[in-house]
Amino acid sequence: MSELEIEALEVGYGTALVLRGVSAAARAGEVYGVLGPNGSGKTTLVRALYGLLPPRAGSVRVLGREVRHTPRRELARTIAVAPQDASSELSFTVREAVLLGRTPHLGPLGLERPADLAAADRAIERLDLAHVADRPLHSLSGGERRRSVVARALAQDAPVLLCDEPTAALDAMHQLQILEVLRQEAAAGRAVVVVLHDLNLAAAYCDRVLLLAEGRVAAEGSVDEVLTYRRVLEVYGVDAYVGENELTGKRLLVPFRIARGQAP
């Protein structure tokens, strides 16, 4: 059984259907990438995975249990989420925001125990945020806020970790730092699902990937199976050199022009 299973999922907003018949599965011990052009349904999928958007058809199961039938507190112990937008937390300090990740584990009085404080401090250290831990989020750079959101999800200590574009607004070093941490989380036995735009970062850090196009599954499998020249052309509308990184042995993709017939 996979930690996270999606079957024939259909999700939308109002009368608009965004995801159509999406099926996939993420297993413990792997980093599972979700890729696709803008508007392909990546963030909608993440929201459906943790129950923010109910399915119109199909199902999402975590540890064998349907998300829509799981109490919220129990679900928060099972799935940790680093969403794109954490604007509602901007009045908190970094440490306070990261401690929110411990909320599902608190007792009836809602008081943090030493173990909760230690978990938050570890996450802050791992994301290189100790020097800003007591500053409010609104005073930080976009990249620092992004890392704070991921740190909160790490502190939550759940078996499934969802990260929606965790490398957005980060410099090269912190992009790699985030992804190294996610690989460590997978090595510790978690199922890590990460939305990425950078195909080379996906190729370097993901074990398997799901490629979405217009709300449907264009391909799913290993990086080499999914990120081919023909598929990148069909889904992204660009010609790209597809080869091998000589240093890592991983797939290397270099888009070099918009394909003929595509809008500039």
Side-chain angles (χ1 to χ4, degrees):
M1 179 186 71
S2 298
E3 259 57 24
L4 181 62
E5 298 175 297
I6 310 157
E7 184 175 351
L9 185 66
E10 295 190 357
V11 179
Y13 302 91
T15 59
L17 192 62
V18 177
L19 296 178
R20 301 170 177 85
V22 173
S23 296
R27 300 185 289 260
E30 73 174 1
V31 176
Y32 188 80
V34 179
L35 313 176
N38 292 335
S40 59
K42 301 183 299 297
T43 293
T44 297
L45 177 60
V46 170
R47 290 172 176 166
L49 295 184
Y50 67 95
L52 188 60
L53 288 174
R56 296 184 181 180
S59 65
V60 178
R61 294 185 297 277
V62 177
L63 304 184
R65 186 170 182 179
E66 283 211 36
V67 164
R68 58 184 163 183
H69 298 150
T70 304
R72 297 305 301 178
R73 184 177 177 87
E74 182 180 337
L75 189 62
R77 292 174 178 165
T78 307
I79 304 177
V81 184
Q84 283 192 50
D85 182 19
S87 58
S88 62
E89 300 170 6
L90 290 179
S91 61
F92 290 102
T93 66
V94 170
R95 180 170 281 107
E96 290 168 341
V98 174
L99 270 171
L100 289 175
R102 300 302 302 168
T103 302
H105 305 284
L106 302 182
L109 298 179
L111 300 176
E112 294 95 357
R113 298 158 297 181
D116 299 310
L117 299 174
D121 285 342
R122 283 195 302 272
I124 287 169
E125 288 287 346
R126 292 177 72 189
L127 273 300
D128 191 26
L129 292 165
H131 64 294
V132 295
D134 296 315
R135 285 176 53 185
L137 289 174
H138 64 72
S139 72
L140 305 184
S141 69
E144 288 167 334
R145 288 199 298 271
R146 199 80 207 94
R147 281 147 50 206
S148 299
V149 172
V150 177
R152 184 193 64 192
L154 293 181
Q156 200 166 328
D157 195 26
V160 177
L161 176 59
L162 308 180
C163 294
D164 192 359
E165 295 192 40
T167 58
L170 297 184
D171 57 50
M173 185 191 77
H174 285 109
Q175 286 183 349
L176 298 180
Q177 178 193 52
I178 288 274
L179 291 167
E180 289 288 349
V181 167
L182 296 185
R183 281 239 55 98
Q184 293 165 11
E185 291 297 295
R190 305 192 200 290
V192 178
V193 178
V194 56
V195 174
L196 293 169
H197 269 298
D198 190 312
L199 300 182
N200 287 302
L201 289 178
Y205 285 95
C206 295
D207 299 294
R208 293 186 301 122
V209 293
L210 171 70
L211 179 61
L212 295 175
E214 297 181 347
R216 300 182 185 276
V217 176
E220 195 267 355
S222 71
V223 168
D224 289 351
E225 291 169 336
V226 173
L227 295 182
T228 64
Y229 166 79
R230 181 57 56 187
R231 193 162 284 122
V232 170
L233 173 63
E234 291 172 351
V235 172
Y236 289 93
V238 299
D239 282 314
Y241 166 78
V242 179
E244 181 180 296
N245 185 320
E246 294 180 356
L247 297 178
T248 65
K250 302 287 189 178
R251 180 140 294 193
L252 176 67
L253 301 104
V254 184
F256 60 89
R257 68 185 173 199
I258 298 172
R260 290 182 180 180
Q262 301 293 323

